[in-house]
């Protein structure tokens, strides 16, 4: 029932796409050999991921990821890949969700007209949780499929996945938009080289993110309550067991 956010974002950003119902080809393993002794494990993984990314895309041949121009070029190519692959991945996820809803209708022992009442409420909860996951990923270190680095793709000077592009015609909930904007402001404050200016900026950004998260929890809570109102106790138990309801 849960939408495949990680698969969606990673496939859209790294350029792998789904053909029909076949699974995407898994990426090759990172280069062999021991990592540098003085490099943290997550930094080693990011560097390996970046090398693989450049190797997989001829457009990035010769690009130096340690320069602003190289990072901008990587970001440009990845955004183009996401734009190219997002529609077909959205279509596949829509088919998966339809199949999951059909299975859930049987599990909940609902007739067509009964499920027609529940499905919009169910989809609302799922959509909010999906958008929350994407917003968190878009502001995270490096974003899905990107090696995180100061000023690199997914960080200041770059961007994570474009929610509007990924969601298509699905409107972004106002609480999600505010959360995403707040997370980006927080990330910018963390990266601010001027410590004195960052103190005030960071305090405001923290407050903004916490307020946005509280607003999202309220919005999600109302959507969950509306869904619970049309469910019988056993049906609600099934949704809680599956992680659809809290």
């Amino acid at each position: 029932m849960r939408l495949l956010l990680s698969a969606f974002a990673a496939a859209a950003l790294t350029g792998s796409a789904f053909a029909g119902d076949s699974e995407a080809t898994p990426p090759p393993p990172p280069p062999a050999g021991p990592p540098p002794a003085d490099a943290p494990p997550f930094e080693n993984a990011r560097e390996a991921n970046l090398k693989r990314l450049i190797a997989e895309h001829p457009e990035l041949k010769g690009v130096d990821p340690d320069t602003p121009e190289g990072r901008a070029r990587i970001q440009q190519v990845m955004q183009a890949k996401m734009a190219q692959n997002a529609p077909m991945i959205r279509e596949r996820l829509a088919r998966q969700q339809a199949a999951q809803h059909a299975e859930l209708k049987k599990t909940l022992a609902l007739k067509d007209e009964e499920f027609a009442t529940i499905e919009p409420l169910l989809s609302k909860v799922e959509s909010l949780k999906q958008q929350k996951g994407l917003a968190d990923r878009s502001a995270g270190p490096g974003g899905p499929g990107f090696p995180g680095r100061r000023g690199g793709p997914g960080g200041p000077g770059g961007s994570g996945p474009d929610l509007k592009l990924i969601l298509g015609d699905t409107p972004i909930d106002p609480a999600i938009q505010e959360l995403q904007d707040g997370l980006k402001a927080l990330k910018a404050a963390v990266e601010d080289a001027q410590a004195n200016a960052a103190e005030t900026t960071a305090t405001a950004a923290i407050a903004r993110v916490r307020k946005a998260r509280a607003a999202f929890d309220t919005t999600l809570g109302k959507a969950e309550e509306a869904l619970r109102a049309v469910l019988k106790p056993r049906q609600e138990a099934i949704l809680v067991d599956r992680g659809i309801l809290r």
Side-chain angles (χ1 to χ4, degrees):
M1 181 55 62
R2 298 172 182 170
L3 298 181
L4 308 179
L5 299 181
S6 298
F8 186 115
L13 288 168
T14 57
S16 59
F18 298 107
D21 289 329
S22 62
E23 294 298 325
T25 302
D38 58 346
F42 66 90
E43 289 293 344
N44 296 331
R46 287 170 175 172
E47 292 303 320
N49 192 27
L50 180 56
K51 290 179 181 178
R52 183 175 63 202
L53 191 68
I54 293 175
E56 289 176 349
H57 295 84
E59 310 97 313
L60 297 177
K61 184 178 181 179
V63 168
D64 184 355
D66 291 321
T67 65
E69 295 80 10
R71 294 194 294 270
R73 178 57 180 158
I74 292 173
Q75 183 69 28
Q76 181 185 33
V77 170
M78 291 300 97
Q79 291 291 354
K81 292 293 184 182
M82 182 166 65
Q84 177 184 350
N85 294 326
M88 67 185 81
I89 299 175
R90 280 200 304 268
E91 181 181 351
R92 175 173 176 134
L93 289 178
R95 293 199 304 269
Q96 289 178 333
Q97 185 183 57
Q100 291 165 346
H101 282 193
E103 185 274 332
L104 187 60
K105 184 181 73 170
K106 293 181 180 179
T107 302
L108 297 178
L110 294 170
K111 298 179 180 178
D112 289 345
E113 59 273 17
E114 293 173 328
F115 192 70
T117 300
I118 289 176
E119 189 169 27
L121 304 174
L122 172 66
S123 296
K124 176 65 173 179
V125 170
E126 291 176 330
S127 179
L128 285 170
K129 294 171 75 173
Q130 178 195 47
Q131 291 185 30
K132 172 64 161 51
L134 289 170
D136 286 339
R137 291 176 67 83
S138 71
F146 287 134
R149 58 175 60 233
R150 186 182 179 86
S159 63
D162 185 334
L163 262 67
K164 292 182 180 179
L165 180 62
I166 292 176
L167 295 173
D169 295 333
T170 302
I172 300 176
D173 187 87
I176 294 296
Q177 186 64 65
E178 174 60 18
L179 175 59
Q180 185 183 37
D181 292 344
L183 288 170
K184 288 182 178 179
L186 180 63
K187 186 173 181 63
V190 170
E191 297 289 346
D192 194 336
Q194 298 180 351
N196 292 335
E199 290 293 333
T200 301
T201 304
T203 299
I206 292 170
R208 182 179 183 182
V209 168
R210 287 175 175 166
K211 182 177 179 181
R213 284 177 173 160
F216 169 78
D217 286 342
T218 299
T219 299
L220 178 60
K222 290 179 179 178
E224 289 178 321
E225 189 59 34
L227 177 56
R228 289 191 189 94
V230 297
L231 296 174
K232 296 178 181 178
R234 184 176 182 279
Q235 294 170 338
E236 180 180 351
I238 291 172
L239 296 191
V240 171
D241 179 62
R242 295 194 178 194
I244 299 171
L245 286 175
R246 294 177 294 180

